[in-house]
Amino acid sequence: MNRVERKKIKRESRMKRAKRFFLRLFSFVFLIVLLYIGLEIVDETNRGMMSMGDTSFFSYNKFDDKNIELIFCGDKYLVNTEKIEILVADIIEITEYGINNLKRFAKDKGEVVTKLIDSVINSTKSK
C-alpha cells in the first residue's frame, strides 16, 4: 500500500468518525426534545382530565420589563432579565474575542509558513 492510499484511508476514517459524532449528537438532541414534548403532553392531558388550573410543567409569566417568573415542575422562579442580558453580552464578547484571536493566530502562522517556503524555494534556486 502506497502513501496516497494510506492518506486516503486515513481521511475516510476521519470523515466516518466525524459523521458518527454528529449523528450521535443529533440523536441525543432529538431524544431530549422528544422527552420534553412527551412530558408537556402528559402534563397537559393530566391537568385537563383533573380540571387543574394551577401551574404546569413549564411556563412563564412576565411581571414587568425587568422580571420574569419561570414555572418549572410546579416550582416558581423569579428571573431578572437584565442579568441574563448582561451574561449573554459577556458570552458573545468572549466568543468574538476568541474567534478574533484564532483568526490573528492563523494569519500570523500563515505568513511565517509562507516566508519559510519562500526562503526554501529561493535557496534551492540559488544553488
Side-chain angles (χ1 to χ4, degrees), residues 39 43 47 55-59 71-77:
L39 286 172
D43 182 59
R47 291 184 186 282
T55 59
S56 64
F57 173 66
F58 180 76
S59 64
I71 303 167
F72 182 71
C73 294
D75 295 332
K76 296 180 181 182
Y77 302 97

Side-chain angles (χ1 to χ4, degrees), residues 46-67:
N46 285 341
R47 291 184 186 282
M49 213 170 27
M50 296 180 185
S51 299
M52 297 171 77
D54 59 343
T55 59
S56 64
F57 173 66
F58 180 76
S59 64
Y60 67 94
N61 299 323
K62 190 169 185 176
F63 280 147
D64 53 14
D65 291 340
K66 296 180 181 180
N67 296 315

